[in-house]
Amino acid sequence: MFSTLSENIVLNANAADSVNPGGIAVALEGKNEPPIRVSETFDYQSGSLVVAGPATDDPEGTWKIIDGEVENADDLAKNTFLVVEGQKGGGAYTFDGLGEENAVVGLGALYEGYLKKGSLDLVVQVNDDLDCLLNPSDCEEESEKPPVIPPIDP
């Protein structure tokens, strides 16, 4: 995949719940191949970032989405939609913010993912709570969110 280096990018688009939502849609091709690269700043103001997840049998690891300084990264994370190939029923996952505490489960049967600051990275790891995925009635109630329809196509 080829990505161009821009000096600055400002994402200032209509919100996901508006009549005419807007944003940026990208696809992850390789762990060290960020689809968005800036030499100075990526300034998030409003709108959505829709990310088509990696199409691989081994997604575990850190996938760089934005390479460069990200302003308002936590707000961007809350407006990021992760589309996972083969998702039952289609749709995308949303995040409540940055960090492992905002991980989403269900990225395939075995994985969970979260967004990390340091540019903007998607971290995919093995879900350590596989017993709860297999036998949810035996576990504490989770705050797992079902997939949603992304506001723009990836």
Side-chain angles (χ1 to χ4, degrees), residues 25-129:
V26 297
L28 297 175
E29 299 290 333
K31 291 181 182 173
N32 294 313
E33 298 175 27
I36 300 172
R37 297 176 32 208
V38 293
S39 61
E40 292 194 18
T41 60
F42 181 98
D43 182 7
Y44 175 77
Q45 295 179 6
S46 60
S48 302
L49 176 60
V50 178
V51 179
T56 177
D57 292 334
D58 183 21
E60 192 171 2
T62 300
W63 297 79
K64 194 169 277 303
I65 299 170
I66 299 173
D67 183 20
E69 182 182 337
V70 178
E71 292 183 15
N72 304 313
D74 199 56
D75 289 336
L76 175 60
K78 292 175 185 175
N79 290 283
T80 297
F81 296 79
L82 177 62
V83 179
V84 178
E85 184 178 306
Q87 171 61 43
K88 185 178 178 182
Y93 292 95
T94 59
F95 300 89
D96 289 332
L98 294 168
E100 194 168 357
E101 64 275 9
N102 293 306
V104 294
V105 295
L107 307 180
L110 303 174
Y111 298 99
E112 65 184 11
Y114 63 91
L115 296 173
K116 180 177 88 169
K117 189 173 181 177
S119 298
L120 185 68
D121 300 334
L122 170 67
V123 178
V124 177
Q125 60 192 19
V126 172
N127 184 347
D128 293 332
D129 210 0

